[in-house]
Amino acid sequence: MERRKQSRHPVHLYAVVSCPRFGLFRGAVENLSVDGVYVRTPNVNMCIDVPVTLTLQGGEGAQQTCCEVSGVVVHQDAEGFGVRFAKVDESCIRRLRELLAEEATPVEDREGLLAAF
């Protein structure tokens, strides 16, 4: 079984998931790392190794688009699925760093999160 290499950090984001096999749907991003994300979608059962594109959203009313990332589903359970990123551009990495800095409350956590990106 493959294990993630980076620790994930809790966030308050949403994702619009685009999947050729299942179409478009929305989920809550539960946690995030440099190389992946867990999306909570209790009503959607994803398949392992399915490519997806995630449009991450945050900000006021969770409608502000943060960035778009591509990846592949590497984990699925009854509550959602995990995605390993395949492609993240530099502008998206900058925006994710900003969001993580805004959401991290303790200074130690903020420094650890920013060092990961």
Side-chain angles (χ1 to χ4, degrees), residues 12-14 56-66 95 99:
H12 296 95
L13 300 173
Y14 291 91
L56 301 176
Q57 300 176 328
E60 296 293 317
Q63 296 302 313
Q64 177 184 358
T65 297
C66 168
R95 182 63 184 131
L99 287 169

Side-chain angles (χ1 to χ4, degrees), residues 70-85:
S70 297
V72 63
V73 175
V74 293
H75 169 78
Q76 188 275 325
D77 60 31
E79 298 299 318
F81 60 96
V83 173
R84 182 181 61 238
F85 295 149

Side-chain angles (χ1 to χ4, degrees), residues 87-107:
K87 182 181 174 187
V88 183
D89 65 32
E90 283 298 317
S91 64
C92 184
I93 290 173
R94 280 192 302 276
R95 182 63 184 131
L96 290 173
R97 288 182 76 184
E98 291 169 6
L99 287 169
L100 286 171
E102 290 169 10
E103 293 199 21
T105 46
V107 174

Side-chain angles (χ1 to χ4, degrees), residues 101-115:
E102 290 169 10
E103 293 199 21
T105 46
V107 174
E108 327 57 82
D109 289 350
R110 186 179 309 120
E111 290 169 358
L113 290 172
L114 294 179

Side-chain angles (χ1 to χ4, degrees), residues 5-22:
K5 295 175 184 167
Q6 303 289 331
S7 61
R8 296 216 179 143
H9 304 280
V11 292
H12 296 95
L13 300 173
Y14 291 91
V16 175
V17 181
S18 174
C19 174
R21 189 177 263 176
F22 300 108

